[in-house]
């Protein structure tokens, strides 16, 4: 699913593997505070990128919930990886604000680095336990609100692991698109 362009930028939802998005300049990692290889998204990204990614990450750690840092993509087919630490649901509060901060900080890093296309996983919705629908609303509303102010960005893709999660994101985006875009 592709939403109508917002000031020229497209917001897209796909099912797939975030570590296999060769047409995107940057991908976002659902990282841990130590920026170490882990399970889920972080595991897939570090496996595909090779050990050089963790070597570059190590001096940038630890990061706080909501924070984002940028590195090269090493053996991944992208140019950059933006690592975000999402909130652990039920522990890091306010969870929705910290999750929104992840997306805003990632977009800000993208803008500062002149990145034109970026892919996001559903940050915090795996091991960190954030309910998927609530997370989708926060993520899509935050990105949608920011798109018009991020000049270099042409494409934002949400890459969801399962078909159920893809459909849920499509439904949430359709509901948001039916409302006027909030001011950023
Ligand atoms: N591509 C796209 N989405 C994926 C992939 C993939 N390859 N693999 C899993 N997902 P998670 P978190 C989905 O747990 O909740 C790590 O161990 C998954 O179904 O990767 O932010 C880190 O080291 C879920 O919906 O991230 C941290 O310790 C979503 O991506 C911790 O987990 C996020 O799942 C971060 O937890």
């Amino acid at each position: 699913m592709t939403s109508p362009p917002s000031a020229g930028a497209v917001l897209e939802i796909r099912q797939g593997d975030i570590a296999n998005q060769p047409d995107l300049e940057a991908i976002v990692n659902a990282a841990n505070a130590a920026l170490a290889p882990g399970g889920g998204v972080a595991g897939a990204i570090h496996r595909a990128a090779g050990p050089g990614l963790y070597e570059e990450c190590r001096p940038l750690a630890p990061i706080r919930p909501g924070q984002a840092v940028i590195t090269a993509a090493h053996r991944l087919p992208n140019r950059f990886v933006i690592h975000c630490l999402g909130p652990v649901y039920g522990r890091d509060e306010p969870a929705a604000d910290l999750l929104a901060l992840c997306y805003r900080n990632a977009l800000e890093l993208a803008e500062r680095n002149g990145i034109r296309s970026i892919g996001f996983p559903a940050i915090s919705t795996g091991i960190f336990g954030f309910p998927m629908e609530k997370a989708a609303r926060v993520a899509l509303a935050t990105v949608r609100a920011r798109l018009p102010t991020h000049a270099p960005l042409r494409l934002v893709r949400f890459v969801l692991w399962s078909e159920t999660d893809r459909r849920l994101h499509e439904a949430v985006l359709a509901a948001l698109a039916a409302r006027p875009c909030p001011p950023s």
Side-chain angles (χ1 to χ4, degrees):
M1 174 180 181
T2 303
S3 83
S6 165
V10 168
L11 181 49
E12 193 176 81
I13 293 174
R14 285 202 193 170
Q15 185 183 352
D17 179 356
I18 191 74
N20 185 21
Q21 303 295 320
D23 61 324
L24 297 179
E25 247 185 302
I27 58 166
V28 173
N29 183 16
N32 48 65
L35 297 173
V41 166
I45 286 179
H46 278 273
R47 262 194 311 278
L53 180 60
Y54 184 39
E55 278 166 38
E56 188 182 352
C57 281
R58 215 191 307 247
L60 304 174
I63 61 169
R64 299 176 307 280
Q67 197 181 345
V69 294
I70 190 165
T71 65
H74 298 265
R75 291 187 204 146
L76 281 157
N78 319 96
R79 282 185 66 206
F80 300 103
V81 179
I82 295 177
H83 308 258
C84 290
L85 179 60
V88 175
Y89 199 71
R91 188 191 77 187
D92 300 321
E93 297 291 347
D97 292 353
L98 290 169
L99 187 62
L101 191 59
C102 281
Y103 287 90
R104 280 201 302 274
N105 282 333
L107 290 176
E108 197 174 307
L109 279 176
E111 185 180 31
R112 270 198 258 143
N113 288 276
I115 290 166
R116 284 160 304 170
S117 55
I118 186 169
F120 284 99
I123 298 168
S124 282
T125 63
I127 292 165
F128 284 179
F130 208 118
M132 185 63 78
E133 185 169 356
K134 197 171 166 186
R137 265 191 251 120
V138 170
L140 289 165
T142 303
V143 170
R144 225 175 144 256
R146 290 282 148 163
L147 274 189
T149 59
H150 284 264
L153 211 51
R154 313 310 294 162
L155 171 64
V156 178
R157 177 179 299 157
F158 278 77
V159 181
L160 289 319
W161 189 240
S162 71
E163 188 182 336
T164 308
D165 295 343
R166 174 182 61 78
R167 283 179 196 275
L168 186 143
H169 279 72
E170 285 177 356
V172 168
L173 182 58
L176 287 171
R179 303 207 307 250
C181 201
S184 55

